[in-house]
Amino acid sequence: MTLQRFGKFVTQSYKWIFTFWLLLFGVMAYFAIQLPGLLAGDGFRVDGEHEHVMKIVSEDFGLPAESLFLVFDGKSDAEIDASLDQLEKLGVVSDIVSPLTEKEQYSKDLSYALLQFDKAPDDMPRVVEDIRDEIDGQKGVTLTGGGAFEHDVNQASQRDLMTAEAIGLPIAIIVLLFAFGTIVASFVPLIVGIGTVVSTLGILALLGNTVDLSIFVLNIVPMLGLALSIDFALLFISRYREELTKRSVSDSIIMTIRTAGRSIIFSAICVFIGLGAMLLIKVDIFMNIALGGMIVVGMAVVSSLTLLPSVLLMLGERIHKGRLLKERSEEANGWRKFAHYVIKRPVTIAIVAFVLLAIAVIPVKNMELTIPQIDSLPESFDTRVAFEQLEDEFGLGDESTVFLIAERDGSWKTTEGLGDMIALQDQLTNDPLVKDISTVFTIIGIDNVSEWEQTLRIPQMYDQLNPVLKNFTDSGNRLFIPVTLNAAGSSNEAQDWVRDWSEKDTGFNILLGGEPRFNQEIFDEIADQIIYVLLIIIVSTFFILMFAFRSLIIPVKAILMNILGLSATFGILVYIFQYGHFGLNPGTVALIIPVIVFSLVFGLSMDYEVFLISRMQEEFAQSFDNDKSTVEGLATTSKVITSAALIMIVLTGAFAFTDVMPVKQIGVGIAVAVAIDATIIRLLLVPSLMKLFGKWNWWLPFGKGLYRSTSQQNSIKK
């Protein structure tokens, strides 16, 4: 179905379409409110060796499936004992390692109990709530650790969404009022945006029963959905109001679907490609954001081409009601004057723009990427305060544990197997990064196989030693060795260690789990796939722009300018978050930020590129005057592009005022990238480079490009 025929269908069926959207909104709203309860984890999960090993050590060697810390600050032994008795009566804890029995968990006024659970991860949110209800009101007693951290991030994410909406939506309305000048026209995009977001969240809730969804989906989808829907609606309504001065309401809708609708579809494809490319990275958070993002982009297109025209048809001429600002015809002339100013000084303007971007890029060389952990929460959260107390007092962050599983041909319990166990133990002990290991020999204090076998011949000792051996070997051919490293689990040293030991020729099949392996798998999965993600985005964008504009130069310029603008964005993120400016403490940049911001913004930037260059192309095809087409393109599209970019900046930048650090960084990253694109790149670099390249902008070495010689131009004009 062509867009012309589709437009006629919409104008004939708009009441049914509007009714369908009302029903869809009601149904999806019911499911959408259930989505927060279906979200679990921060999305940093890879279906890899770490997960496999942790399942083995939990099921076969008795390690707890989940653990939490209960921190006691300034509590007496009697108070600690009473609190732990309360928890035992709850019946949710499988084992408690008390500081009253383990003195290394006790230091002056601070101590902690290790709570161990045989619960599945999905059950932990309810467990965390039960424990907190039980200790509620006990000053100096705080629950912290992985499950508590994820629970707090989930709760904070929901509050962040409300905070961002409370900040962003009112400002977006003001921007729309300046863009349209009327109250009615300004509120229509919000209707479309809310319909898009609610329907998408409802779809994700339906998928949440079969797909593991990250808590960050709750922020990314509304952020992207609202911004894109309002951007699309801004473009659509602007073109519709222009057509309405020449045609009837129905004909104006049809023409707008044919023209603006094509641009919306094209823009959505660019964003869709960027999001879809993230599916190559088999880390849950990227796959979640890709899935949620592609759904919300698809829904934004559908709502923009069905719900939006239906609302406009129902409003008719009333779209002009509630005018607050007069239309100013001189706006286009102002942009035209600006464009003339730029193309008269293209070299100077281009140099200034490149210097500004180059300065912003400088901090990128110091970018430090980490997997978000407890510092994702603000410093005011008790969960973070308690965990940092443990790190400072007990050095929990200075060391890390690797769970090593060694598989051999045959049992480890034979004389030969025990000899291999000693040999592997010696290799580990001699490793300079290894602080400590636990094996049956280190636990019992026996140094060699012969002494072990002699001791086993004593009946009383056999009964004592055999259970210890079972703690480290299963009934098959697996050996379990916990290894303590003198390096934090997030450090490069720990990650290099697990890489080396995975490839080390020990004579056995070595499997590794634990925090160092978890971090290494995440980093390596991104490093291994990122080149393919970038190639898909860049190559696809190149061919789409080449065929759209029948030019070789324009897509190359657009891609290079996007890469430069995004590099400058990452430099600014380092300056803000890593160096610690604008009231923030120095920290790190979340590992996901470069990938997500690049994938999202590359498509969004092409959105504005298409709007601008399409108009320049239209003018050049008529006049073959590159300077004129550059000026007219900038003059006629700048208001829409600037308004759309400002709305994107407002709706994503509002997340700068939220609590969860990765969400804050994503919001700021997108806002900064769009701001750079809409100002330095779109207003300075694009027109100056269009001037410098002249008619070569429209050159295509094959096919029918718009480049023409002077004689060809004169012949066509005649």
Side-chain angles (χ1 to χ4, degrees), residues 594-613:
V595 179
I596 292 175
V597 172
F598 186 96
S599 300
L600 283 175
V601 175
F602 204 91
L604 292 173
S605 297
M606 290 307 168
D607 191 358
Y608 307 135
E609 180 81 4
V610 171
F611 297 163
L612 178 58
I613 301 297

Side-chain angles (χ1 to χ4, degrees), residues 6 9 54 72 105 127-128 189 216 229 238 262 265 293 310 312 331 364 406 419 433 489 504 564 589 593 610 686 709:
F6 180 75
F9 166 76
M54 297 312 293
F72 301 98
Q105 296 174 201
V127 169
V128 169
F216 294 126
S229 297
S238 296
R262 184 178 291 109
I265 292 171
S310 297
L312 294 176
E331 281 185 294
V364 170
L433 199 64
K504 190 182 289 289
L564 181 58
V589 177
I593 303 303
V610 171
V686 168
S709 65

Side-chain angles (χ1 to χ4, degrees), residues 77-242:
D77 289 358
E79 289 173 317
I80 292 173
D81 194 41
S83 295
L84 296 181
D85 283 342
Q86 283 181 270
L87 292 188
E88 283 187 317
K89 293 175 183 177
L90 274 179
V92 297
V93 185
S94 61
D95 191 27
I96 298 177
V97 182
S98 170
L100 302 179
T101 56
E102 300 294 329
K103 294 305 179 183
E104 64 269 17
Q105 296 174 201
Y106 208 124
S107 176
K108 298 180 181 178
D109 291 332
L110 192 72
S111 61
Y112 69 92
L114 182 62
L115 312 181
Q116 300 178 339
F117 306 87
D118 54 13
K119 305 284 185 181
D122 292 345
D123 297 326
M124 289 307 293
R126 185 66 218 168
V127 169
V128 169
E129 291 179 1
D130 288 343
I131 294 176
R132 283 181 170 167
D133 287 342
E134 190 67 26
I135 64 174
D136 186 40
Q138 296 184 31
K139 187 177 180 180
V141 181
T142 308
L143 186 69
T144 190
F149 160 67
E150 290 179 4
H151 180 275
D152 286 352
V153 170
N154 195 342
Q155 298 297 312
S157 296
Q158 295 179 50
R159 290 197 296 272
D160 283 355
L161 179 58
M162 292 186 286
T163 300
E165 288 176 345
I167 295 171
L169 286 178
I171 301 176
I173 292 172
I174 295 173
V175 175
L176 289 169
L177 283 171
F178 276 100
F180 292 131
T182 68
I183 295 174
V184 174
S186 301
F187 276 89
V188 170
L190 294 180
I191 295 173
V192 178
I194 292 170
T196 298
V197 170
V198 170
S199 58
T200 301
L201 294 178
I203 293 170
L204 288 173
L206 292 173
L207 294 174
N209 293 312
T210 55
V211 178
D212 292 332
L213 295 176
S214 161
I215 51 184
F216 294 126
V217 168
L218 196 61
N219 298 104
I220 302 300
V221 169
M223 179 197 301
L224 181 60
L226 274 175
L228 266 183
S229 297
I230 294 177
D231 267 13
F232 290 165
L234 183 63
L235 171 65
F236 194 99
I237 295 173
S238 296
R239 185 57 183 260
Y240 167 70
R241 294 175 75 194
E242 181 182 330

Side-chain angles (χ1 to χ4, degrees), residues 455-469:
T455 306
L456 276 183
R457 294 190 184 100
I458 304 172
Q460 299 92 331
M461 294 303 298
Y462 178 87
D463 292 337
Q464 295 179 25
L465 297 184
N466 198 49
V468 177
L469 183 60

